[in-house]
Amino acid sequence: MRLFLTCSFVFLVAITSCLAQAQRVNWKKVKVLVYSKNGKGYVHDNIPNAIRSIQRMGQEHGFSVDTSARPEVFTEANLKQYTALIFTSTNNDVFDNDDQRLAFRRYIESGGGFVGIHSVVGTERSWTWFKRMMGGTFLWHPKFQPIRLKVLAAQHASMQGIPAVWTKSDEFYFLKELSPGPTVVLASDLTSLDGNEAEKVKASAGTYTSLYPSAWYYEFDGGHTWCTMLGHAKTDYEDPQFVNHMFQGLRYVVSQVKTLDLSKAYAKTMDEEVR
């Protein structure tokens, strides 16, 4: 019991420190790149709304926002100016070549930040390293419907202002090729689905029986990532609750990013083994 209490105290101190650090962000020094390229396949119509929402966020909090759907922006020389890269509803192959993929990976290895929104889990489905950074890759989703969400880590910086139980309409994403590592902070309640596709839901959920990951953070390969699978509807990006959800995730990530250090980037190829 004493060991449990000691571990719990250490965890609480770490969470409190993380929250305090996030609250001390100097937004005037923050610059982000919102990337919205899609490969062949389905393209979400929410992307322009998401971009405008993040631009408004930047105006409100005083940070700089660049936007692009051009993979040519992925060079080491260009990426080093950004505190975080935000992929909003990207899907399928979003890079033109492996040099761009390597530049993205080396940015993460240098200590960069990454925020992924909604269908980001369907991005670069053939790139092993990217899928590992995400913690998995897109499998399937039931139809758009109300989902009950539950906060699992109320004290984490990215969950500030999020209701303990939050019901919103969205697409519930299931993943495959799950990789250990990410820490889940928000989960969807499988029992809140309408039951119309119960057998497929059960098969897709695997060993998950009630709660399924919907937002998480991951300190991966030198970088700092936060992702949410929410955000399908265009109207989400006008909704104060969802906008706050995105902002808290971004705030957490940029609070973790220090000066990028390219000397820590070791990969020579996009699929080199993670050290």
Side-chain angles (χ1 to χ4, degrees):
M1 177 62 75
R2 181 178 298 173
L3 177 59
F4 172 77
L5 292 174
T6 300
C7 292
S8 298
F9 175 75
V10 170
F11 178 75
L12 180 60
V13 169
I15 288 291
T16 303
S17 176
C18 171
L19 177 57
Q21 184 176 344
Q23 292 172 336
R24 292 196 299 267
V25 170
N26 183 350
W27 289 103
K28 292 181 179 180
K29 294 185 176 181
V30 172
K31 187 175 186 180
V32 303
L33 171 65
V34 181
Y35 188 58
S36 56
K37 168 77 172 178
N38 272 247
K40 294 180 180 179
Y42 183 81
V43 179
H44 282 79
D45 63 2
N46 64 37
I47 292 173
N49 305 76
I51 291 172
R52 289 193 294 269
S53 182
I54 296 167
Q55 289 172 326
R56 288 194 298 268
M57 196 184 295
Q59 293 168 357
E60 178 181 352
H61 295 279
F63 63 89
S64 299
V65 180
D66 286 349
T67 68
S68 182
R70 297 171 54 248
E72 303 95 284
V73 300
F74 285 88
T75 67
E76 286 189 16
N78 187 52
L79 294 183
K80 67 182 181 181
Q81 66 181 303
Y82 297 113
T83 316
L85 310 178
I86 304 175
F87 281 33
T88 179
S89 288
T90 52
N91 196 16
N92 296 306
D93 292 342
V94 300
F95 301 106
D96 283 345
N97 56 58
D98 291 349
D99 287 342
Q100 295 161 357
R101 293 181 176 91
L102 180 59
F104 174 85
R105 174 173 173 168
R106 287 175 60 83
Y107 168 83
I108 296 296
E109 291 175 348
S110 300
F114 177 83
V115 173
I117 300 171
H118 195 48
S119 64
V120 66
V121 292
T123 303
E124 292 291 322
R125 304 183 193 198
S126 299
W127 184 11
T128 299
W129 180 90
F130 190 92
K131 290 185 290 185
R132 184 171 171 189
M133 181 190 76
M134 293 304 305
T137 191
F138 177 74
L139 172 62
W140 171 74
H141 69 76
K143 67 179 183 179
F144 185 88
Q145 62 183 283
I147 302 169
R148 186 165 57 247
L149 301 138
K150 295 186 177 181
V151 172
L152 302 185
Q155 298 305 312
H156 191 263
S158 70
M159 289 292 102
Q160 298 310 295
I162 308 301
V165 179
W166 176 19
T167 299
K168 74 180 297 293
S169 294
D170 219 309
E171 285 181 340
F172 185 107
Y173 277 18
F174 287 103
L175 303 179
K176 62 181 178 179
E177 300 178 49
L178 293 170
S179 177
T183 300
V184 179
V185 291
L186 181 70
S188 293
D189 186 347
L190 288 166
T191 67
S192 70
L193 296 176
D194 60 19
N196 289 336
E197 300 170 286
E199 290 303 315
K200 196 168 183 179
V201 165
K202 183 178 180 180
S204 301
T207 57
Y208 292 96
T209 57
S210 57
L211 299 179
Y212 197 89
S214 279
W216 57 87
Y217 67 92
Y218 192 12
E219 304 299 301
F220 175 74
D221 207 10
H224 313 278
T225 78
W226 181 90
C227 296
T228 178
M229 288 197 281
L230 306 177
H232 176 75
K234 293 187 290 185
T235 53
D236 282 339
Y237 301 92
E238 302 283 346
D239 173 34
Q241 185 65 70
F242 182 75
V243 172
N244 177 63
H245 178 51
M246 287 196 303
F247 174 69
Q248 297 301 338
L250 175 62
R251 185 181 70 156
Y252 165 70
V253 167
V254 300
S255 75
Q256 302 302 301
V257 175
K258 312 304 179 186
T259 302
L260 296 183
D261 185 357
L262 275 169
S263 70
K264 295 180 179 179
Y266 61 88
K268 303 301 181 185
T269 65
M270 56 175 272
D271 266 330
E272 185 172 329
E273 185 176 352
V274 176
R275 295 182 185 176

